[in-house]
């Protein structure tokens, strides 16, 4: 029979409870931080995809302007961008082809 008033039994119960508590806390923190790390990696992956998409769209714009220039002697790039601004879109200029390559190399 286990005597709960025995100091050795009480010490064992406290040690066991402490071990269980520490395991639960460690599991909770590992889960939280593991998700944050995975989310961070997913964000970096999505950033690289977005930068590649921006580089693609800028290349499409450049090709389109080149065709325009061949046909009309004007690229109309600035005029088209102004129309986009008038429609409420904003071009930050942070992700030009050179800057996009620089950013994706740092990740």
């Amino acid at each position: 029979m286990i005597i709960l008033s025995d100091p050795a039994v009480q010490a064992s119960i406290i040690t066991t409870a402490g071990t269980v508590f520490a395991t639960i806390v460690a599991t909770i923190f590992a889960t939280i931080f593991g998700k944050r790390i995975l989310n961070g990696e997913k964000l970096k992956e999505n950033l690289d995809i977005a930068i590649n998409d921006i580089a693609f769209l800028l290349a499409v714009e450049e090709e389109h302007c080149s065709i325009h220039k061949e046909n009309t002697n004007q690229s109309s790039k600035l005029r088209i961008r102004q129309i986009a601004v008038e429609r409420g879109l904003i071009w930050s200029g942070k992700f030009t082809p050179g800057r996009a390559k620089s950013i994706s190399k740092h990740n």
Side-chain angles (χ1 to χ4, degrees):
M1 172 173 212
I2 299 174
I3 302 171
L4 296 177
S5 61
D6 182 6
V9 172
Q10 290 175 349
S12 292
I13 291 171
I14 291 170
T15 301
T16 303
T19 302
V20 170
F21 179 73
T23 303
I24 291 169
V25 169
T27 302
I28 291 169
F29 279 108
T31 301
I32 291 170
F33 290 119
K35 285 182 181 180
R36 284 189 180 185
I37 290 169
L38 289 176
N39 287 342
E41 290 173 4
K42 184 66 175 170
L43 284 173
K44 287 179 185 177
E45 181 181 321
N46 286 340
L47 176 62
D48 285 341
I49 291 169
I51 289 171
N52 288 335
D53 286 351
I54 291 167
F56 172 81
L57 293 171
L58 289 170
V60 168
E61 178 190 50
E62 194 63 38
E63 188 62 32
H64 182 78
C65 290
S66 175
I67 291 170
H68 251 282
K69 194 167 189 171
E70 287 176 11
N71 294 334
T72 65
N73 292 328
Q74 294 180 6
S75 73
S76 300
K77 179 193 267 185
L78 296 178
R79 193 173 117 236
I80 298 301
R81 286 188 177 185
Q82 183 58 41
I83 291 169
V85 168
E86 289 169 2
R87 291 183 180 173
L89 300 172
I90 298 171
W91 171 254
S92 71
K94 290 182 179 180
F95 294 100
T96 60
R99 289 180 182 168
K101 287 178 187 175
S102 173
I103 290 170
S104 64
K105 286 180 184 177
H106 288 106
N107 292 328

